[in-house]
Amino acid sequence: MFVNPADKRIGVVGLGIMGSAISKHLLRRGYPVSGFDVDKQRLDEFASAGGDSRTCAADVAENSDIVIASLPSAAALRVITDELKEAKAPGLVLVETSTLDAADKIVARDELSDVGVVVLDCPLSGTGAQARDGDLVAFVSGDEQATDDVAPVLETFCRETVRLGEFGAGTTTKLIANLLVAVHTFAAAEALTLADRAGLRLEQIISALAGSAADSRMLQVRGPVIARRSWQEPSMRLELFLKDLALITSFAQSVDAQLPLFTTTQEYFRQAADAGLGSYDSAAVAALLRDESGDLDAGRNLDDCN
């Protein structure tokens, strides 16, 4: 079915790594896009790309049919919820793509339903680099009609949309996905550290493993970052990733699940952040492994690994 982008006004609240990539895909497809971020530089960059910058989330909502939220924390969602409760935007669909506790999203859904706003739980699986390439997977849960309405919009920046039924199932699926992302990223870092210690060319090893039984998406996405030591340009900041890992731990405890491999992996990411790598890409956990393998000179700062 043909969908005319001009028929839908889209808003994006949160113009960080993911939100800015999403907005650019929408603008390229021809959607009118308004946006807001508390960071003025991000808002200026959005305007330079052709977006309609707005002064607050309520302003975005009042000028949109669909709003996509990409937020860093539950506190940010609380602020947006309060703003949208005061906005005049009945019939609005809020696509909540952030990785947050499902309980926080349920509160937002219930409060906003009172003012005629439908909230979808729709976390996105993929890194910032994948977002720029339109290579995300949307885990959608919630109202079926609203999901139908936003499907063409999601197709603009996602290669696949998975419908998961009852509200909250999207977040649960995302937490499970992030468990695998963490373990696979750490496994790639460990394997490439071993290859490096053996004197092998890391780019050649990554190429050799592609398509083999040992391949993984994180080896493909973060392997080159590890090989080049280019983690100072993050597609997922390690400190933000730790927030996601804490959500996994809390969820696992709530269902009495034991996660020994994940627990070990999480500890290494935490140690990497404590070593000063929190603002780098999560692939920077490899710097910690290289240090433990003796690849760093005595007293050399981890920042010098880049």
Side-chain angles (χ1 to χ4, degrees), residues 85 108-117:
K85 284 163 61 178
R109 177 201 64 182
D110 292 348
E111 292 187 6
L112 289 174
S113 68
D114 293 338
V115 295
V117 175

Side-chain angles (χ1 to χ4, degrees), residues 257-270:
Q258 301 299 313
L259 307 177
L261 185 59
F262 170 76
T263 299
T264 298
T265 297
Q266 182 182 31
E267 179 57 29
Y268 273 89
F269 280 110
R270 186 181 295 113

Side-chain angles (χ1 to χ4, degrees), residues 50-128:
D52 177 17
S53 61
R54 295 284 171 167
T55 58
C56 62
D59 193 12
V60 171
E62 290 175 354
N63 289 276
S64 303
D65 302 301
I66 297 168
V67 170
I68 299 165
S70 179
L71 307 172
S73 66
L77 177 59
R78 177 74 262 164
V79 170
I80 299 307
T81 300
D82 289 343
E83 285 196 30
L84 265 57
K85 284 163 61 178
E86 300 300 321
K88 298 177 177 63
L92 178 75
V93 177
L94 175 64
V95 184
E96 216 310 303
T97 69
S98 319
T99 303
L100 303 172
D101 193 307
D104 293 312
K105 294 194 180 190
I106 289 170
V107 170
R109 177 201 64 182
D110 292 348
E111 292 187 6
L112 289 174
S113 68
D114 293 338
V115 295
V117 175
V118 177
V119 180
L120 292 175
D121 172 35
C122 183
L124 304 173
S125 181
T127 66

